[in-house]
Amino acid sequence: MNAEEKFVVPSTQFVENPEGYELKVSLPGIGKEDAELHVEGRTLVLKAHSKYQNPAGFKQVAGEFDYENYAMSADLPEMADLSTMSAKLENGILSVTIKKRPETQPKKIEIL
């Protein structure tokens, strides 16, 4: 990473359901090969680099948006089973799914 490189925090949504958690991150213009996702302790860390360049012979004369480099981190809940994490990047949305640890799941107790 060079000193001139700037990063912005992407828009995110983090939801919980009975089975686990899902983190959605907006990464417009980012491909799978341009994103790095890893866990440090219980913190999920994301860095993504935009490689967009104007096509040869084209010069941008106006624009309403810019292609950005993104960086963010998220603390993961204690109930999250980090060994079950999976990630998918599709149509500019990164989806990270994490199941809850089995011992934290509600258990039905049969009454005899």
Side-chain angles (χ1 to χ4, degrees):
M1 178 165 51
N2 70 45
E4 296 175 17
E5 200 170 34
K6 81 173 187 179
F7 288 86
V8 296
V9 177
S11 298
T12 62
Q13 180 182 43
F14 193 49
V15 297
E16 178 180 5
N17 61 50
E19 293 80 35
Y21 306 92
E22 184 170 25
L23 172 67
K24 290 189 181 264
V25 183
S26 177
L27 298 174
I30 302 293
K32 290 185 259 192
E33 64 283 350
D34 303 323
E36 175 190 323
L37 187 64
H38 65 274
V39 175
E40 296 175 6
R42 295 201 70 79
T43 302
L44 183 67
V45 178
L46 167 71
K47 279 193 180 170
H49 298 272
S50 174
K51 293 183 180 173
Y52 177 81
Q53 294 181 352
N54 286 321
F58 284 80
K59 177 178 139 187
Q60 183 170 335
V61 294
E64 293 293 323
F65 64 92
D66 195 9
Y67 290 92
E68 303 282 357
N69 294 318
Y70 299 96
M72 63 151 297
S73 62
D75 292 331
L76 300 173
E78 287 294 323
M79 294 187 340
D81 183 353
L82 303 183
S83 68
T84 67
M85 291 180 69
S86 64
K88 174 174 70 169
L89 181 58
E90 191 170 71
N91 298 324
I93 303 293
L94 174 68
S95 298
V96 180
T97 305
I98 313 162
K99 293 184 180 179
K100 289 181 180 176
R101 293 191 333 252
E103 65 271 17
T104 65
Q105 296 288 327
K107 295 179 181 130
K108 184 175 180 178
I109 301 170
E110 184 179 347
I111 300 174
L112 303 174

